[in-house]
Amino acid sequence: MRVAVVGAGLGGLLAAANLLERGYKVDVFEKLPFNGGRFTNFHYKGYEISTGALHMIPHGSKGPLAKMLRKVGAKVEIVDSKPNGTALYRGEEIKVSKKTFPLKSRLKFALYCLKNVFREVKLSELEKNLDEFSAKFLRAFLGWSLSLTPSQLSLSDVYPIYEATYTLGGPGIPIGGCKAVVDALLEVMESYDCRVKREKVRAIRMESYGLSLHFRNTSERFDAVVSDAGPVETYRLAGLNVPKLEESRGIKYSIALKEPLIDHTGVMFTLDTRRICGVNQVTNADPNLGERHFLMAHQPMITSNVKFEIAEGLKDLKEILKGYEYEVLVIQSFSDGWPVNRARAGRDCSNETPVKGLYMVGDGAKGEDIEVDGIAIGIERVVKEIEKEVEKR
Amino acid sequence: MIVVTEKCVGCATCMLVCPSRAIKVEGKAEVIQEKCEKCKKCLNYCPVEAIKWVE
Ligand SMILES: Cc1cc2nc3c(=O)[nH]c(=O)nc-3n(C[C@H](O)[C@H](O)[C@H](O)COP(=O)(O)OP(=O)(O)OC[C@H]3O[C@@H](n4cnc5c(N)ncnc54)[C@H](O)[C@@H]3O)c2cc1C
Ligand code: SF4
Ligand code: SF4
């Protein structure tokens, strides 16, 4: 069985490592000169600036990604957040647990869940009925973790995430940042003599037997193709009608701090802001991620005017960091071909495509969880599907 | 000359890899032509092919 993987983002690399471990022959093709896509880092001015992610694994060492990394033998050390999160509210940092929310709001949540059994109700309906703290927390939490607002989501979109967070726990930070995960996967692949090939895939075609990948001047045959290029690009490459997908967009700030702002490894959600939903100080988990304290702040893009969104975000940062000496090292915005998420929470495409033998992985084809943990669940499914195909033959 | 097109999303990958620190990004990439060594690294690293080389 020969399998091709299109794209060496986290999804592609993780899929490749899994397939190699099961004994398949795998070739990985990547159009960019670097591996890891939106989940790696570049060293810049003394800091490990990531190409996308906030150096966080949603459910830390207990989540689906960590489990999968252990299974394929990828050595990554993950520091679980303690506490999971705090909230900056009226100038004070508050520890967040179930009890932080007033009983009345917890009851409103239960009632809201019940209502959803009968019809789909937007989370903004719930927001309206909550006390100020709970409402602001909901907004900040969704903005940080999904780059979306309550009016863009309903319970069914987020319930699996809520459940996973409840049972698996909060985030963790890999020592070495995102790139450590990518490097560990490349090492696993290398142990099977598999190296990423620098080729842009230009088309995927169905053949009488298997599939073919087309490059600038050549083409190659495979039994199956796993695409990490995202649903839009994958369908385009296969000559199919491109699915309509709503992505999530956001802006990330990487900040160097002289004095620490927070003293833990979790997220501090910021509640009294225009845009910024939260900050994490990743050097608390791994001091080697930056020369000084390394803070990241994240906001969703509410309007489509990027310059305006950044101006609002910078105003927030000025307030959050009042009295601190800081330098904004990098401002990164994510949309279109390079978004925060290719599909909004709960709207992922299936891992299977209309083309037999062509599968999708990555953040447009996640399983029931968020970000890289959702990617791991999707990959598990694809591997199972491919094994089923092999058994049939 | 290195030119940034409309496709730019502002992800700053080009700025992170430019060996001459000739790129600034705030919503969109801007090349400081006087600093640019014309190595074309940014062009290859841009994930959305937003950078073009114009003679
Ligand atoms: C600001 C921000 C913050 C985030 N924070 C977190 C976080 O803290 N935790 C978390 O878990 N997730 C986070 N995410 C999400 C996470 O980064 C993504 O879900 C993940 O990196 C997506 O991986 P992927 O493999 O699906 O896609 P990508 O990383 O985009 O990889 C796709 C790869 O395919 C290649 N490719 C595309 N087309 C072709 C082709 N035709 N031929 C060859 N190669 C091709 C691309 O070049 C790319 O390398 C964040 C994202 C952003 C933007
Ligand atoms: S890498 Fe490309 S998309 Fe990203 S900021 Fe630079 S030019 Fe824009
Ligand atoms: S061509 Fe080279 S020096 Fe010029 S902006 Fe791009 S990366 Fe920087």
Side-chain angles (χ1 to χ4, degrees), chain B residues 2 18-20 22-23 31 35-43:
Chain B
I2 287 287
C18 171
S20 345
I23 303 180
V31 181
K35 280 196 187 174
C36 172
E37 302 281 351
K38 301 170 175 60
C39 69
K40 298 187 187 171
K41 192 170 177 184
C42 55
L43 187 149

Side-chain angles (χ1 to χ4, degrees), chain A residues 57-190:
Chain A
I57 298 173
H59 304 301
S61 68
K62 295 181 195 74
L65 175 71
K67 213 170 123 193
M68 189 170 263
L69 289 172
R70 285 192 291 270
K71 198 187 71 191
V72 300
K75 291 184 199 75
V76 183
E77 194 188 327
I78 300 166
V79 180
D80 286 329
S81 298
K82 239 193 271 167
N84 287 338
T86 60
L88 185 65
Y89 180 58
R90 297 185 178 166
E92 235 182 288
E93 192 181 1
I94 304 167
K95 242 192 202 161
V96 180
S97 73
K98 233 181 176 174
K99 290 189 201 110
T100 320
F101 304 99
L103 183 65
K104 204 172 152 202
S105 284
R106 278 186 271 161
L107 288 173
K108 292 275 187 210
F109 178 64
L111 194 70
Y112 168 78
C113 291
L114 201 67
K115 257 194 214 164
N116 267 278
V117 177
F118 305 106
R119 65 184 176 97
E120 213 180 75
V121 191
K122 291 276 178 238
L123 279 165
S124 40
E125 284 297 308
L126 168 67
E127 189 190 15
K128 269 192 247 163
N129 290 316
L130 299 174
D131 63 288
E132 192 195 80
F133 174 84
S134 306
K136 285 186 164 179
F137 183 84
L138 176 72
R139 188 164 277 271
F141 178 80
L142 297 175
W144 169 273
S145 55
L146 306 173
S147 295
L148 296 171
T149 59
S151 62
Q152 292 173 305
L153 293 155
S154 57
L155 186 68
S156 58
D157 297 326
V158 296
Y159 196 77
I161 300 163
Y162 170 78
E163 218 179 4
T165 309
Y166 196 74
T167 50
L168 301 172
I173 295 169
I175 297 288
C178 303
K179 187 168 183 286
V181 179
V182 167
D183 286 346
L185 287 168
L186 289 169
E187 203 176 305
V188 170
M189 287 163 57
E190 198 136 319

Side-chain angles (χ1 to χ4, degrees), chain B residues 12-50:
Chain B
T13 306
C14 55
M15 168 175 145
L16 298 178
V17 302
C18 171
S20 345
R21 298 267 158 88
I23 303 180
K24 277 215 164 81
V25 183
E26 219 178 293
K28 195 179 187 282
E30 273 169 55
V31 181
I32 307 153
Q33 297 295 347
E34 306 82 68
K35 280 196 187 174
C36 172
E37 302 281 351
K38 301 170 175 60
C39 69
K40 298 187 187 171
K41 192 170 177 184
C42 55
L43 187 149
N44 294 321
Y45 277 72
C46 173
V48 297
E49 294 167 44

